[in-house]
Amino acid sequence: MHDDRTLVEARLRRVLDERIRPAVYPESVPLQVAVWHAPGEPVPVEEGLAAEAQPIEIGARWGAPWGTSWFRVTGTVPEAWAGKTVEALLDLGFDENMPGFQCEGLVYRPDGTPVKGLNPRNQWVRIGAPVAGGDEVALHIEAASNPVILDYHPFQPTRLGDKDTAGHEPQYILTRMDLAVFDEPVWQLVVDLEVLGELMAELPVDSARRHDILRAVERALDAVDLQDVNGTAERARAELTGVLAAPAVPSAHRISAVGHAHIDSAWLWPLRETVRKVARTTSNMTALIEDEPEFVFAMSQAQQWAWVKEHRPEVWARVKKAVAEGRFVPAGGMWVESDTNMPGSEAMARQFVHGKRFFLDEFGVENQEAWLPDTFGFAAGLPQIIRAAGSKWLLTQKISWSQTNKFPHHTFHWEGIDGTRIFTHFPPVDTYNCSMKGSEIAHAARNFKDKGRARHSLAPTGWGDGGGGTTREMVAKAARLRDLEGSATVAWETPRAFFEKAEAEYPEPPVWVGELYLELHRATLTSQAKTKQGNRRSEHLLREAELWSATAAVRAGFPYPYEELDRIWKTVLLHQFHDILPGSSIAWVHREARATYERIAGELDEIIAAAQRALAGEGHRHLVFNSAPHGRNGVPAGGAGAARRPQGTRLAPRAAGGHVLDNGLLRVEIDARGLVVSAHDLDADRETIAPGRAANLLQLHPDFPNMWDAWDVDSFYRNTVTDLTDAESVEAGEDGASVRIVRSFGASRVTQVLSLPSGERRLLIDTEVDWHETEKFLKLAFPLDLHAERYASETQFGHAFRPTHTNTSWEAAKFEACNHRFVHLAEPGWGVAVVNDSTYGHDVTRTVRSHGDRGTTTTVRVSLLRAPRFPDPETDQGVHRFRHALVPGASIADAVREGWRINLPERRLTGAREVAPLVTVDNDAIVITAVKLADDGSGDVVVRFHEAHGGRARATLTAGFEVTEVTATDLLERPLSDAGAPERDGDRITVRLRPFELTTLRLRR
């Protein structure tokens, strides 16, 4: 038999494109269109509906960047269409390749009832099925003219990312506003042929199944009269019945399809636009649920649900109804799909507290899964946080984006730093925007790495990023793929149903230990420095506000600010979304973030000041409030009192030029270039800086990644480096105990102050950068005389180790990594910490010296600033301030303590009395991360703590008030069913923790 396969396949493509798809709508009439352009920001629905609209013609331009236009479309269904299915086709000027990334609309009836959302892949609105004929049609469209930021030639700098710079030129052309007859048999034929054509292309060329499909398709195409597609569609479908009815083989891969619309809470659009994107998408999905009885849709991010409830109550009513039916599923149990590398311990915990509590309060739903398809890697502390929140599963997809190494599993146990394991799944479909294409389904089955032991995977199905969700075409394809020979099987299921099946069939999956590092998007640890500083500062201010408010409530009857703290926490958690905190959003988002952080800092400072004043009373005693979890200068952790004044620091000239700082613990030599050439630990008689090298060295690299400018830094950036060694001035500070250095480079200027606090073994480095570079990467280097094959970096509720070498491709790929407050390196008996108040990105490298002692130089470099031009062309331009400290002779305990110290500076005020801590612990290995009143308003005191040094710890926790009951709880402050009663002797509680174990206790008073 002659091989005519390519002939038939080419015929199928052309007939579908040019004859069958156009016949889905065989008849149409134009609608009348009028428009009102809202001035400025979006207006309430009732105002948009009532506005006076002016006629507009098809082909007219509309839509200034970030504008809102209210279209009114009216018309009459022709009498001749009686008994037919009629839809409105509303094309605002869509590009079908950009769902979620351009103009969108929400359709309303004249009474304000939402109908459904419009996007490039969803342009229809059902008018009637059937219609009577002569029906009057009136619809309103709230159309958002969001500009295209990520265009066909991506990553080009654009001013469209902020309404203040985007201009006013209309961007879109009104393309079609028609009433049309919808021919369902033709539409069904299109789906039949698409499913079979896509499946056929994935089957082996020599397989019998492929040729069976080929011949059936050929017969169907022969049955179609190209001059009368509508009259012959049923006849053509009949030719496909047999191949569509052939069942899948018993060993077929099984896919749980979950309707989904991954909506970035901000990215290439501002937060206010996400509110509307969510309303459009949820309107679409509730409408689809009504039309498709088997369809199930899952939506994560409690914040997005809260937006619908607050801003679109009419949509919220439909959502609640669908949730009650079990068809619209709250997923993930987090406030937003946050970054998980940079949020601090408590913030990561509160993501689950606020997310899960919202779904429990609104729907009585307890989420068991964390749902993070697009997050840029996962910190090693996350598993126990998920478990402590009462969840047990994790889904993500982004690790499939890794550039260097292919992750070896799709279903596995992920083990965190404390030994907690979480059942985890990476969908092998390799997208969180699955559209049910045959190529996607076949890829999932081929790609699944756990064949032979498991055969279930999940496919998040629907247009996402900018929203839109699942379409009726996707649902129709899934129906045909339910049980189809040659394909994986597909069934709509909830995330819970998938995980229960997957876990049951794979009770002993492989184990991955440690962080899930994404070998991509490493620069998100540095981009938009002020957003990151705002997050860090907010986290620590919230700690202080809760600590002092709880202490004042117990001791002085201070009114605990429940509502204010709840609101502020949710604001901080929102800004930890995985395109805000990582610095990968448009300029508008980060401009607003900076203002928001400044506002909430003011609010928190007021709460802290009021609580401390209530505690201290009115008086003239000089008091120091210590919010850190360790005592310092004689003031206990969580208390206030008079601080000791240790011996001062001496500043002297250096013989070879420069200055020497000496406080009896450290002697630091700063040369005439303002570089640290010696940091001598006097007690250990040990030099910190590698021979012939200098620390406090600012280094500048070119920074132009191959793509994803704000997200990525590629390894070749290291090929070129400029050491910034020239100094305009190096002089003694005005306090006589510091050195001030000024440098200029390019269009930028750096001022640093190096100081050695009295009685402390740490060199403080305050850096101010007036930054005006473009596509550059600024680092601060510390070459250390230290031999270490691994180093520790702080993460949530502990620290994780990474190698300093690059033996394998996995290690080489980690050339930029995340830490929280410290990085620590050590040889047995002696170590060094580098601590910070606001930076996250860093790198650690090692080399063996070829001359002299042939020792090892291990270099820690802190990432300070970048200057990408997309999506914000002005990224990080302006003045930035950073504080770091070099801590020679530091143990891991010192690193933990100094990390907290630099982030929680003392607060000083005058008052009448000292303040005893509300809670104390007698072992520094146990760090209290939160002291607060219980969220339920009971007045109970909640204390959260963890083992921070990486070993087992026993301690006595003492309450500074009368305790009547102690209960171990989960993060939501609910009693743990499998935890015994803590050992208690009055107000003293004995605690025993394994390495890095997280514990929450609720103390009734």
Side-chain angles (χ1 to χ4, degrees):
M1 182 176 178
H2 299 298
D3 184 1
D4 62 349
R5 176 179 54 82
T6 57
L7 192 68
V8 176
E9 292 171 354
R11 179 187 179 194
L12 172 61
R13 287 191 295 271
R14 185 175 185 193
V15 171
L16 263 176
D17 287 344
E18 297 185 23
R19 291 293 186 270
I20 302 179
R21 287 194 186 99
V24 171
Y25 293 105
E27 301 175 73
S28 64
V29 296
L31 289 160
Q32 290 75 51
V33 189
V35 67
W36 174 70
H37 302 295
E41 286 294 279
V43 300
V45 173
E46 56 273 17
E47 184 177 342
L49 295 174
E52 185 175 344
Q54 302 299 318
I56 185 173
E57 299 294 326
I58 298 301
R61 300 190 70 84
W62 72 279
W66 305 114
T68 301
S69 297
W70 283 84
F71 290 94
R72 185 181 68 224
V73 295
T74 55
T76 305
V77 177
E79 296 285 355
W81 292 1
K84 298 182 178 180
T85 298
V86 175
E87 294 180 345
L89 301 181
L90 308 172
D91 187 344
L92 300 171
F94 294 129
D95 179 338
E96 288 193 0
N97 294 316
M98 292 190 175
F101 291 91
Q102 54 167 227
C103 59
E104 301 172 35
L106 181 54
V107 179
Y108 296 88
R109 296 189 179 94
D111 65 358
T113 303
V115 181
K116 66 188 293 282
L118 294 178
N119 63 60
R121 296 297 181 99
N122 214 324
Q123 303 178 21
W124 58 275
V125 175
R126 181 64 58 87
I127 301 300
V131 294
D135 307 26
E136 294 298 322
V137 176
L139 298 170
H140 296 259
I141 307 166
E142 181 189 18
S145 52
N146 301 332
V148 176
I149 305 294
L150 193 66
D151 214 333
Y152 285 100
H153 190 172
F155 317 121
Q156 292 296 301
T158 175
R159 296 286 177 180
L160 291 171
D162 196 327
K163 64 177 181 177
D164 292 344
T165 60
H168 304 284
E169 286 297 314
Q171 302 176 95
Y172 296 104
I173 297 174
L174 196 63
T175 301
R176 185 177 188 183
M177 295 279 168
D178 288 349
L179 285 178
V181 173
F182 176 72
D183 190 324
E184 181 156 350
V186 175
W187 182 83
Q188 296 285 3
L189 176 60
V190 169
V191 179
D192 288 346
L193 290 170
E194 286 182 348
V195 167
L196 290 170
E198 291 166 2
L199 173 60
M200 185 168 56
E202 298 300 322
L203 294 170
V205 172
D206 59 356
S207 70
R209 174 63 169 164
R210 179 162 182 159
H211 287 274
D212 287 345
I213 295 173
L214 185 77
R215 292 305 153 212
V217 167
E218 183 179 43
R219 292 193 299 272
L221 296 177
D222 289 342
V224 174
D225 182 346
L226 299 186
Q227 309 308 312
D228 184 16
V229 173
N230 301 90
T232 55
E234 293 281 21
R235 186 172 70 194
R237 291 197 74 205
E239 297 293 341
L240 303 173
T241 302
V243 289
L244 285 169
V249 298
S251 61
H253 186 68
R254 297 174 182 177
I255 293 177
S256 296
V258 179
H260 190 49
H262 169 70
I263 303 178
D264 288 311
S265 290
W267 181 27
L268 305 180
W269 45 86
L271 288 167
R272 67 90 155 142
E273 192 55 34
T274 313
V275 175
R276 302 200 297 174
K277 281 179 174 287
V278 174
R280 293 189 282 262
T281 298
T282 51
S283 296
N284 253 350
M285 296 302 95
T286 52
L288 192 61
I289 284 170
E290 292 172 0
D291 293 340
E292 302 289 349
E294 296 185 354
F295 175 61
V296 175
F297 182 78
M299 189 169 89
S300 66
Q301 305 192 74
Q303 171 69 87
Q304 296 188 1
W305 293 70
W307 279 334
V308 178
K309 181 181 180 181
E310 178 183 357
H311 297 283
R312 289 290 194 272
E314 65 283 358
V315 180
W316 180 248
R318 291 166 55 177
V319 169
K320 287 187 70 175
K321 177 177 179 292
V323 173
E325 295 168 354
R327 308 275 306 285
F328 199 119
V329 182
M334 295 176 68
W335 191 246
V336 294
E337 290 181 13
S338 72
D339 179 81
T340 75
N341 285 312
M342 291 176 282
S345 302
E346 273 304 307
M348 201 73 255
R350 305 300 174 96
Q351 285 286 352
F352 288 91
V353 169
H354 287 283
K356 293 196 73 167
R357 187 172 286 146
F358 181 90
F359 292 141
L360 282 164
D361 290 348
E362 295 293 338
F363 307 114
V365 171
E366 172 87 15
N367 292 102
Q368 296 294 303
E369 77 287 336
W371 182 276
L372 292 163
D374 191 30
T375 295
F376 309 153
F378 298 89
L382 187 58
Q384 76 162 330
I385 298 173
I386 294 173
R387 186 73 69 177
S391 297
K392 58 183 180 179
W393 303 314
L394 169 66
L395 177 135
T396 185
Q397 183 274 320
K398 199 71 171 189
I399 298 297
S400 69
W401 286 40
S402 284
Q403 287 178 316
T404 306
N405 297 287
K406 191 80 170 176
F407 198 80
H409 318 295
H410 281 108
T411 302
F412 60 100
H413 272 144
W414 177 30
E415 182 178 316
I417 56 174
D418 73 315
T420 297
R421 291 181 176 179
I422 294 294
F423 188 83
T424 302
H425 180 66
F426 291 169
V429 71
D430 279 351
T431 178
Y432 46 81
N433 295 322
C434 177
S435 61
M436 283 292 137
K437 285 183 180 178
S439 57
E440 295 170 334
I441 302 305
H443 175 76
R446 283 195 302 265
N447 188 41
F448 187 56
K449 293 188 178 298
D450 301 282
K451 297 183 189 76
R453 297 184 182 275
R455 64 185 198 196
H456 277 83
S457 72
L458 186 146
T461 302
W463 301 115
D465 291 316
T470 319
T471 66
R472 63 182 177 186
E473 289 79 13
M474 297 175 194
V475 176
K477 286 187 173 185
R480 287 156 175 81
L481 296 170
R482 172 184 292 277
D483 189 13
L484 184 62
E485 183 185 355
S487 172
T489 65
V490 175
W492 295 106
E493 294 188 297
T494 65
R496 178 190 289 266
F498 161 75
F499 274 108
E500 286 175 345
K501 290 180 180 178
E503 197 169 27
E505 77 168 1
Y506 207 6
E508 294 185 10
V511 178
W512 182 270
V513 178
E515 67 181 325
L516 295 173
Y517 180 91
L518 177 63
E519 297 171 354
L520 194 74
H521 293 358
R522 303 167 181 89
T524 57
L525 303 173
T526 305
S527 297
Q528 298 287 359
K530 287 187 178 177
T531 300
K532 291 170 171 57
Q533 289 179 322
N535 173 74
R536 180 75 70 85
R537 184 184 181 200
S538 297
E539 289 179 352
H540 288 87
L541 287 171
L542 277 161
R543 171 195 171 83
E544 291 189 83
E546 289 181 339
L547 169 66
W548 300 121
S549 293
T551 305
V554 173
R555 294 278 166 69
F558 181 77
Y560 192 81
Y562 290 101
E563 292 183 3
E564 293 92 334
L565 291 172
D566 181 79
R567 172 179 51 80
I568 294 170
W569 260 119
K570 288 173 179 175
T571 300
V572 172
L573 298 179
L574 167 59
H575 285 78
Q576 290 176 342
F577 178 75
H578 66 250
D579 277 307
I580 303 179
L581 180 54
S584 47
S585 289
I586 55 174
W588 189 347
V589 173
H590 292 289
R591 172 172 56 81
E592 288 191 332
R594 291 190 293 271
T596 298
Y597 284 130
E598 185 175 348
R599 184 187 74 248
I600 63 177
E603 293 182 69
L604 290 168
D605 277 333
E606 289 181 4
I607 292 172
I608 293 164
Q612 290 180 340
R613 176 53 59 204
L615 287 164
E618 297 296 332
H620 302 287
R621 298 182 64 180
H622 293 282
L623 300 174
V624 171
F625 279 77
N626 176 19
S627 304
H630 308 92
R632 56 186 173 189
N633 297 331
V635 180
R644 292 195 303 263
R645 298 184 180 277
Q647 184 179 355
T649 298
R650 298 185 299 279
L651 175 66
R654 179 172 175 264
H659 303 270
V660 177
L661 290 166
D662 190 328
N663 67 356
L665 298 173
L666 280 181
R667 185 177 68 244
V668 176
E669 296 186 29
I670 302 160
D671 71 8
R673 302 170 298 172
L675 302 179
V676 176
V677 292
S678 174
H680 200 82
D681 179 349
L682 297 174
D683 286 343
D685 191 20
R686 172 77 184 252
E687 178 55 58
T688 307
I689 310 302
R693 302 290 299 275
N696 189 41
L697 175 64
L698 290 163
Q699 295 182 305
L700 193 66
H701 296 271
D703 186 15
F704 189 63
N706 288 343
M707 57 193 305
W708 297 109
D709 294 37
W711 294 256
D712 281 2
V713 56
D714 291 326
S715 58
F716 54 73
Y717 88 93
R718 289 180 172 175
N719 296 350
T720 306
V721 60
T722 302
D723 291 345
L724 303 179
T725 58
D726 293 339
E728 293 182 7
S729 62
V730 179
E731 57 191 20
E734 293 181 0
D735 60 359
S738 62
V739 177
R740 183 176 182 272
I741 305 129
V742 179
R743 308 183 195 279
S744 294
F745 59 95
S748 303
R749 185 178 179 87
V750 177
T751 302
Q752 289 185 299
V753 175
L754 275 57
S755 57
L756 199 57
S758 301
E760 299 174 14
R761 197 168 54 238
R762 60 175 180 151
L763 173 66
L764 278 177
I765 303 170
D766 289 287
T767 303
E768 179 181 287
V769 187
D770 190 3
W771 180 247
H772 297 284
E773 304 308 300
T774 299
E775 295 167 352
K776 295 289 192 295
F777 197 180
L778 184 64
K779 292 247 182 186
L780 181 62
F782 299 89
L784 308 174
D785 186 11
L786 197 145
H787 178 83
E789 293 185 357
R790 66 176 190 171
Y791 71 97
S793 59
E794 188 184 34
T795 188
Q796 293 99 3
F797 298 110
H799 55 268
F801 291 100
R802 297 187 184 96
T804 59
H805 57 76
T806 55
N807 283 357
T808 70
S809 59
W810 293 88
E811 291 145 358
K814 295 182 180 181
F815 59 82
E816 185 78 5
C818 183
N819 67 284
H820 288 185
R821 286 169 289 234
F822 71 78
V823 168
H824 179 260
L825 302 95
E827 296 174 357
W830 193 85
V832 179
V834 177
V835 301
N836 72 84
D837 74 343
S838 60
T839 56
Y840 297 92
H842 70 277
D843 70 87
V844 177
T845 56
R846 67 198 294 270
T847 186
V848 174
R849 300 186 285 273
S850 58
H851 302 288
D853 65 355
R854 301 187 185 277
T856 301
T857 299
T858 305
T859 302
V860 177
R861 297 198 307 162
V862 176
S863 303
L864 296 183
L865 290 166
R866 299 183 68 235
R869 300 179 66 207
F870 180 88
D872 177 4
E874 299 296 326
T875 300
D876 281 333
Q877 300 300 296
V879 176
H880 303 269
R881 295 176 179 86
F882 308 95
R883 171 167 276 199
H884 295 84
L886 178 68
V887 191
S891 64
I892 198 72
D894 296 323
V896 172
R897 184 186 64 251
E898 294 299 336
W900 281 102
R901 179 198 293 259
I902 202 169
N903 281 273
L904 284 167
E906 299 166 340
R907 291 179 183 262
R908 299 175 182 272
L909 70 158
T910 56
R913 53 187 174 269
E914 295 188 349
V915 179
L918 195 60
V919 178
T920 61
V921 64
D922 64 358
N923 185 341
D924 271 358
I926 292 178
V927 170
I928 296 174
T929 59
V931 177
K932 59 190 287 296
L933 294 194
D935 292 341
D936 61 7
S938 63
D940 293 355
V941 174
V942 171
V943 185
R944 187 148 36 247
F945 50 91
H946 71 286
E947 195 289 319
H949 297 172
R952 292 188 178 271
R954 181 187 184 281
T956 299
L957 186 145
T958 303
F961 54 94
E962 185 177 351
V963 176
T964 62
E965 184 180 358
V966 180
T967 307
T969 75
D970 66 6
L971 294 179
L972 278 71
E973 301 167 10
R974 303 174 298 189
L976 292 173
S977 59
D978 58 350
E983 298 178 35
R984 181 166 71 94
D985 180 8
D987 303 331
R988 295 162 57 85
I989 304 147
T990 300
V991 295
R992 293 178 175 86
L993 273 66
R994 66 179 183 272
F996 300 129
E997 182 179 357
L998 161 65
T999 299
T1000 305
L1001 295 182
R1002 183 171 180 143
L1003 314 181
R1004 180 160 296 169
R1005 58 189 175 98

